[in-house]
Amino acid sequence: MNQRVLNMLHTLNSLEKKQKKDACYLEEMPVKAFSKDLSEKKKIKVLNNYFFRNKDIYVSKHNRFAPYPLHAHTFLEINYMLEGNADQVVNGKPIFLHRGDLLVLDVGAEHSIGTLGERDLLINILFRNSNINIDFLKDLRRSRSVLYDFLLKSPIKANEKQNYLVFRTAKNNKIAQIMDEIIEEYFLKKEFSDTIIKSYLHILVTNLVRDYQIVDQQPQSKTRKIVIEILDEIDKNYSTITLQKVANMFGYNKNYLSNLFKKEVNKSFSEVVIQKKMTQAHTLIMSTSLPISKIVEAVGISNKSFFYKKYYDFYKEKPLADRQQNLINI
């Protein structure tokens, strides 16, 4: 991290000086930063799009020395623990952030923040882009992994929507580098910083999604453990995997394992393998210039006609048309 920026962040601003002196919270936001339709029952402050005047992204240091009251947003927010630690409560659940951790809060997530000490630096990043949300992050991850897709369909609780994610990224140097660049660009007010920050945020989101591990919310029966291992094998070895190889691996009869798998996943083994091959092919089509014939081989399909039919079934478009449309959109 640029030392000049670190010094700026550690320097007490006028509000922090008052909070440190009086040991109580002082409202930092003007009235127009809050939505008018506040919840009377819960008395939750709802921050609106006030922050995005002339910019798509707003970055700030969270003020220290006083707890921040319960509030919600009409936008996506990332809390990044640059230094120190922080206690938060999100939707009634305590969350403890260590140095390097990120908390992603979706629209409507209710949270409060405990008192930060002098060495605690919590950075807030706010997004104007309503297309980036928790569902977007999950769908992006789901599209790359049949195991993640399976786990994501396991409900946390009936009718409960998870609108926050915690990323324990303290040991991820890549995430730290990206966050350093974003913070430096914003606070040093470099030329074209808004454009550069938006580019970095796309890289950040992609890296977070790639490394995110979902916790299985369902009871870990023997059958479920086996199915999770099989799905993980499909994700890793989709181009060469067969039901017979998996049956040999786990010491089961092929037909018995097939029935067990379908009962748990609600799809046959072959359907899930094809799903993985199609999503992988789609990724290669959209992100590389490899000939379609090479991509067909790479995902382990020998019949090109079969590939084209299945690809159209999944994406309602032909592979080359998908690639051309993607080039137009870039």
Side-chain angles (χ1 to χ4, degrees):
M1 169 65 71
N2 181 291
Q3 191 58 49
R4 180 184 163 197
V5 175
L6 267 181
N7 291 341
M8 289 169 58
L9 295 172
H10 276 294
T11 300
L12 274 64
N13 58 39
S14 59
L15 193 143
E16 285 180 317
K17 289 176 182 177
K18 291 178 183 177
Q19 290 190 160
K20 186 176 184 181
K21 179 183 177 182
D22 301 335
C24 65
Y25 169 74
L26 298 171
E27 183 55 69
E28 60 182 311
M29 303 295 177
V31 175
K32 56 187 174 183
F34 297 100
S35 296
K36 294 180 181 179
D37 54 340
L38 301 182
S39 171
E40 289 299 324
K41 291 183 179 180
K42 296 184 179 180
K43 294 184 178 178
I44 297 170
K45 294 180 177 180
V46 180
L47 294 168
N48 59 31
N49 292 333
Y50 162 83
F51 306 91
F52 303 116
R53 295 166 299 171
N54 304 318
K55 61 182 71 177
D56 295 315
I57 295 155
Y58 179 83
V59 182
S60 67
K61 175 188 75 173
H62 184 79
N63 289 322
R64 296 163 288 179
F65 309 115
Y68 197 91
L70 188 67
H71 63 288
H73 308 139
T74 59
F75 45 79
L76 185 84
E77 176 182 7
I78 289 179
N79 287 177
Y80 174 62
M81 207 69 228
L82 179 62
E83 290 189 1
N85 305 287
D87 285 301
Q88 297 202 31
V89 176
V90 185
N91 295 340
K93 298 177 182 178
I95 303 290
F96 188 71
L97 296 183
H98 302 271
R99 177 175 180 164
D101 290 343
L102 288 104
L103 170 64
V104 180
L105 297 153
D106 211 346
V107 174
E110 299 173 3
H111 72 120
S112 59
I113 304 172
T115 303
L116 299 183
E118 190 138 6
R119 305 308 301 175
D120 300 324
L121 292 178
L122 180 65
I123 305 299
N124 304 316
I125 304 177
L126 316 180
F127 294 74
R128 180 201 292 271
N129 188 350
S130 60
N131 292 324
I132 300 177
N133 51 44
I134 297 293
D135 288 338
F136 168 81
L137 299 180
K138 288 181 177 179
D139 286 344
L140 190 60
R141 186 69 180 93
R142 170 195 277 153
S143 69
R144 301 291 190 271
S145 167
V146 291
L147 173 56
Y148 189 92
D149 183 43
F150 172 70
L151 294 178
L152 203 57
K153 289 175 181 175
S154 301
I156 302 168
K157 287 181 182 179
N159 302 319
E160 181 179 336
K161 175 179 168 62
Q162 185 182 7
N163 56 5
Y164 70 91
L165 294 173
V166 180
F167 296 87
R168 303 296 181 185
T169 52
K171 296 181 180 179
N172 190 322
N173 293 330
K174 182 70 174 177
I175 297 297
Q177 289 170 9
I178 297 168
M179 291 304 304
D180 283 355
E181 292 288 351
I182 290 172
I183 294 166
E184 288 174 15
E185 284 288 340
Y186 192 89
F187 287 101
L188 291 177
K189 295 179 170 56
K190 296 181 180 180
E191 191 175 15
F192 307 117
S193 61
D194 196 49
T195 301
I196 291 172
I197 289 170
K198 281 193 280 188
S199 298
Y200 274 127
L201 282 171
H202 281 291
I203 298 170
L204 173 68
V205 167
T206 305
N207 275 273
L208 290 176
V209 170
R210 181 171 63 185
D211 296 337
Y212 182 65
Q213 299 295 318
I214 190 170
V215 177
D216 189 13
Q217 302 288 338
Q218 297 287 67
Q220 280 282 312
S221 65
K222 182 181 178 181
T223 299
R224 189 173 179 84
K225 285 180 180 178
I226 291 170
V227 166
I228 286 173
E229 288 184 49
I230 294 172
L231 289 166
D232 189 45
E233 282 296 320
I234 293 172
D235 274 329
K236 292 175 181 175
N237 303 302
Y238 59 89
S239 64
T240 58
I241 200 166
T242 65
L243 181 59
Q244 186 62 63
K245 286 182 180 179
V246 174
N248 293 341
M249 185 185 303
F250 290 95
Y252 280 96
N253 172 274
K254 185 174 76 169
N255 292 332
Y256 174 80
L257 190 63
S258 175
N259 292 331
L260 180 151
F261 184 90
K262 187 166 186 178
K263 184 177 179 180
E264 189 75 30
V265 182
N266 292 321
K267 290 181 182 178
S268 70
F269 178 85
S270 61
E271 286 175 324
V272 174
V273 172
I274 290 299
Q275 175 187 333
K276 176 63 183 180
K277 289 183 177 183
M278 290 301 110
T279 55
Q280 187 63 23
H282 182 69
T283 299
L284 292 172
I285 287 165
M286 304 299 270
S287 61
T288 75
S289 58
L290 281 172
I292 303 301
S293 59
K294 294 294 183 183
I295 291 174
V296 175
E297 292 176 15
V299 299
I301 295 177
S302 56
N303 188 319
K304 289 182 182 179
S305 297
F306 175 80
F307 170 80
Y308 278 97
K309 181 182 182 303
K310 286 296 180 183
Y311 189 92
Y312 190 85
D313 288 343
F314 270 77
Y315 297 104
K316 306 306 175 188
E317 191 58 270
K318 294 180 180 178
L320 278 177
D322 246 357
R323 174 174 283 174
Q324 289 166 359
Q325 186 59 45
N326 185 52
L327 291 172
I328 292 170
N329 293 334
I330 291 174

